[in-house]
């Protein structure tokens, strides 16, 4: 596919997706959804990748929401079709085998908030703003917002954000647990790079299994979640990474004992 509304590159085991509609604050259009689906298909097939970074072009917006011009045309049938397509796309992003970092560089409103919440981590610049503002348009979040926001910040805060649609700043987003870290605008990608470096230094399968266990467990009862965790732990015990990790730990302990004449 010839990408018109996003930029995509792979570099040193990392996939970088930049939403590239700065003239409309990177709003999510139907065409952009199609392009994101194609990019995610490429990422799903690439076993060499260790992380994904998603951001928006410019310094004003990560993604400002859905394209209002297209919203005008939606009736019940089209609305159902589009929300299901976007829900499935964001679930694919959430459930990728590798971590996904949202570098939130400005407004993350409506669909932008929903996209950021589908990512594993959210690192925000100090000028970032967040809102589930759909109610002000006479609709509700439709790409996972009512579900993921509740799971991230709790029912009370999620209801406040969804029912009032007010914008919160990066500091408040950090306080309620919506984002992982807030940094100055000019340090955003530097911080993202530091997180990517941490991810790449860790065993890939352990990261994959841990992420899957948390994501699946969030939607299961405790007993089912524990059973799935046990299954993934057992799988991890069969990997070369586990053998090398344990051996390295034991060797480090042996050297420490020798160095201290113990």
């Amino acid at each position: 596919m010839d990408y018109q509304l996003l930029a995509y590159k792979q570099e040193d085991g990392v996939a970088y997706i930049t939403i590239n509609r700065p003239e409309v604050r990177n709003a999510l259009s139907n065409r952009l959804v199609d392009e994101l689906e194609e990019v995610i298909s490429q990422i799903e097939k690439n076993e060499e990748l260790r992380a994904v970074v998603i951001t928006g072009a410019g310094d004003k917006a990560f993604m400002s929401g859905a394209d209002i011009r297209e919203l005008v045309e939606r009736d019940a049938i089209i609305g159902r079709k589009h929300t299901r397509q976007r829900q499935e796309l964001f679930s694919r992003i959430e459930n990728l085998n590798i971590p996904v970092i949202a570098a939130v560089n400005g407004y993350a409103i409506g669909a932008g908030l929903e996209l950021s919440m589908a990512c594993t981590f959210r690192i925000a610049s100090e000028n970032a703003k967040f809102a589930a503002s759909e109610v002000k348009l006479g609709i509700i979040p439709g790409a996972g917002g009512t579900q993921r926001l509740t799971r991230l910040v709790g029912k009370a805060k999620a209801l406040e954000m969804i029912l009032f649609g007010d914008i919160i700043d990066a500091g408040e987003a950090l306080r309620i647990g919506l984002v992982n870290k807030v940094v100055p605008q000019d340090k955003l990608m530097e911080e993202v790079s530091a997180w990517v470096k941490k991810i790449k230094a860790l065993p890939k399968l352990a990261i994959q299994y841990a992420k899957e266990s948390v994501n699946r467990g969030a939607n299961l009862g405790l007993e089912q979640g524990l059973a799935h965790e046990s299954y993934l732990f057992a799988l991890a015990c069969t990997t070369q990474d586990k053998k090398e990790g344990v051996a390295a730990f034991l060797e480090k302990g042996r050297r420490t004992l020798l160095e201290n004449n113990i």
Side-chain angles (χ1 to χ4, degrees):
M1 177 181 285
D2 180 23
Y3 299 121
Q4 299 176 7
L5 306 180
L6 62 81
Y8 178 62
K9 68 177 182 178
Q10 295 176 9
E11 187 175 276
D12 297 328
V14 183
Y16 293 90
I17 301 171
T18 302
I19 309 303
N20 192 24
R21 303 187 73 202
E23 72 282 359
V24 288
R25 294 192 173 182
N26 300 319
L28 184 65
S29 66
N30 298 330
R31 168 75 186 192
L32 179 53
V33 170
D34 292 339
E35 293 190 12
L36 283 169
E37 287 179 330
E38 176 60 28
V39 164
I40 297 305
S41 293
Q42 287 190 47
I43 292 170
E44 288 170 334
K45 296 172 186 176
N46 191 332
E47 296 293 332
E48 303 302 315
L49 292 174
R50 296 298 312 274
V52 180
V53 175
I54 302 178
T55 194
D59 59 4
K60 301 296 184 184
F62 173 76
M63 179 182 285
S64 61
D67 193 314
I68 301 299
R69 293 169 297 183
E70 294 179 349
L71 182 59
V72 172
E73 302 172 358
R74 287 184 193 157
D75 55 18
I77 295 173
I78 296 174
R80 170 70 173 173
K81 176 184 176 182
H82 286 175
T83 54
R84 289 300 293 157
Q85 182 183 14
R86 294 169 192 215
Q87 287 173 353
E88 290 168 5
L89 169 63
F90 291 175
S91 289
R92 288 171 66 193
I93 292 171
E94 182 176 35
N95 293 310
L96 284 171
N97 289 337
I98 53 179
V100 184
I101 301 174
V104 184
N105 54 322
Y107 287 100
I109 307 295
L113 173 64
E114 291 173 309
L115 173 58
S116 75
M117 292 191 297
C119 297
T120 318
F121 305 117
R122 284 156 296 284
I123 303 176
S125 61
E126 290 176 338
N127 71 323
K129 308 287 185 182
F130 301 85
S133 58
E134 289 88 347
V135 68
K136 294 184 176 181
L137 297 172
I139 54 176
I140 70 169
T146 63
Q147 304 306 303
R148 289 193 177 91
L149 188 58
T150 303
R151 287 163 170 77
L152 278 171
V153 305
K155 181 179 177 181
K157 194 64 185 180
L159 280 170
E160 179 184 335
M161 290 183 65
I162 292 167
L163 298 188
F164 295 147
D166 294 334
I167 292 175
I168 64 172
D169 62 21
E172 176 67 2
L174 180 63
R175 188 189 71 80
I176 65 175
L178 182 56
V179 301
N180 297 90
K181 192 164 186 179
V182 176
V183 296
Q185 173 79 20
D186 61 351
K187 300 293 185 181
L188 179 59
M189 296 313 295
E190 180 180 322
E191 184 66 25
V192 169
S193 295
W195 284 55
V196 167
K197 185 177 180 180
K198 285 184 180 181
I199 291 166
K200 292 172 68 175
L202 294 166
K204 182 178 181 180
L205 284 175
I207 291 289
Q208 176 185 328
Y209 295 158
K211 180 184 174 185
E212 179 182 335
S213 186
V214 171
N215 283 351
R216 292 274 184 94
N219 298 310
L220 296 172
L222 178 59
E223 288 303 315
Q224 293 90 343
L226 289 171
H228 193 65
E229 177 187 84
S230 179
Y231 168 73
L232 290 170
F233 178 88
L235 277 181
C237 285
T238 68
T239 65
Q240 186 64 28
D241 285 338
K242 176 260 184 182
K243 296 175 184 176
E244 293 175 359
V246 171
F249 183 85
L250 292 174
E251 177 59 23
K252 181 179 179 181
R254 188 185 71 83
R255 288 200 304 269
T256 299
L257 291 174
L258 291 174
E259 289 167 0
N260 290 281
N261 296 315
I262 297 174

